[in-house]
Amino acid sequence: MAFWTQLGLLLWKNFTYRRRQTFQLLIEVAWPLFIFFILISVRLSYPPYEQHECHFPNKAMPSAGTLPWIQGIICNANNPCFRYPTPGESPGIVGNFNASIVSRLFSDARRLLLYSQQDTSIKDVQKVLGKLRQLGNSSGLDLKLRDFLIDNETFSDFLHHNVSMPSSAVEELLDAGVNLQQV
């Protein structure tokens, strides 16, 4: 049989079946129209509102490294939506967390560990350990406020010029004892 002959016989069979089953034909026509009218009524009662496009902060995948991945989870926990593109949407940028506290902490620790020969940070750490040993050996009453200041720090100049304290009062304040147990 040819294609057109088969199509004509199939349409004739369908027409005959539909003519004999009028109730089924009405249901097959009315049911989609009923659902369509429900959709129209919902659309008319709740009109659409204008929503701006949404740009989300980038989140690194675990393959980018553990630190960027965890920062992406913690820093974007509330999943904010911005109207304008975020800095991390540029191609090739994994994370824009370079200014976060955790990144600075790790970069400072890395610098301390890698460049400790040229850096004076090890000497500062040794001073802190010495003061901690001194604290452990004594009651802590012989520590002075001056011991907690960095060498060449301008705290006394600040007190003298900005607070208008006399130099003798500033020296007495810096020589005051500090009890860390009370602090």
Side-chain angles (χ1 to χ4, degrees):
M1 279 195 199
F3 170 75
W4 295 109
T5 309
Q6 285 182 352
L7 182 62
L9 288 173
L10 186 62
L11 288 174
W12 176 75
K13 178 183 171 186
N14 189 24
F15 174 73
T16 307
Y17 177 74
R18 300 280 182 221
R19 192 177 57 192
R20 291 179 184 164
Q21 302 289 331
T22 55
F23 183 72
Q24 184 178 354
L25 177 66
L26 289 175
I27 296 293
E28 286 179 355
V29 171
W31 182 249
L33 287 174
F34 177 70
I35 292 176
F36 181 71
F37 286 127
I38 289 175
L39 288 174
I40 289 175
S41 67
V42 167
R43 180 66 183 253
L44 291 177
S45 62
Y46 298 105
Y49 61 93
E50 186 76 21
Q51 175 69 26
H52 63 84
E53 63 178 315
C54 210
H55 295 274
F56 296 103
N58 61 325
K59 295 179 184 116
M61 299 300 285
S63 61
T66 306
L67 181 62
W69 178 57
I70 292 175
Q71 283 179 337
I73 292 171
I74 293 173
C75 295
N76 299 319
N78 58 352
N79 208 16
C81 173
F82 301 106
R83 288 183 180 263
Y84 304 105
T86 59
E89 287 187 61
S90 303
I93 294 179
V94 175
N96 53 354
F97 305 108
N98 295 333
S100 70
I101 294 172
V102 177
S103 292
R104 286 184 297 194
L105 173 72
F106 279 110
S107 66
D108 289 345
R110 181 174 177 237
R111 188 183 68 218
L112 178 69
L113 294 173
L114 290 178
Y115 304 110
S116 62
Q117 292 82 16
Q118 297 93 8
D119 200 0
T120 61
S121 300
I122 295 296
K123 294 176 185 171
D124 295 338
V125 170
Q126 290 172 349
K127 284 183 185 178
V128 170
L129 290 176
K131 293 297 180 184
L132 288 175
R133 278 191 218 104
Q134 181 182 358
L135 177 65
N137 293 337
S138 66
S139 63
L141 296 175
D142 55 346
L143 290 174
K144 308 252 183 267
L145 182 59
R146 186 182 307 274
D147 295 333
F148 294 97
L149 299 176
I150 301 171
D151 295 336
N152 301 326
E153 190 170 25
T154 59
F155 182 66
S156 60
D157 294 336
F158 173 77
L159 288 177
H160 181 65
H161 295 295
N162 295 345
V163 185
S164 301
M165 289 180 76
S167 298
S168 59
V170 170
E171 290 301 320
E172 287 179 24
L173 181 66
L174 292 176
D175 289 333
V178 177
N179 188 348
L180 289 179
Q181 292 173 349
Q182 287 182 348
V183 173

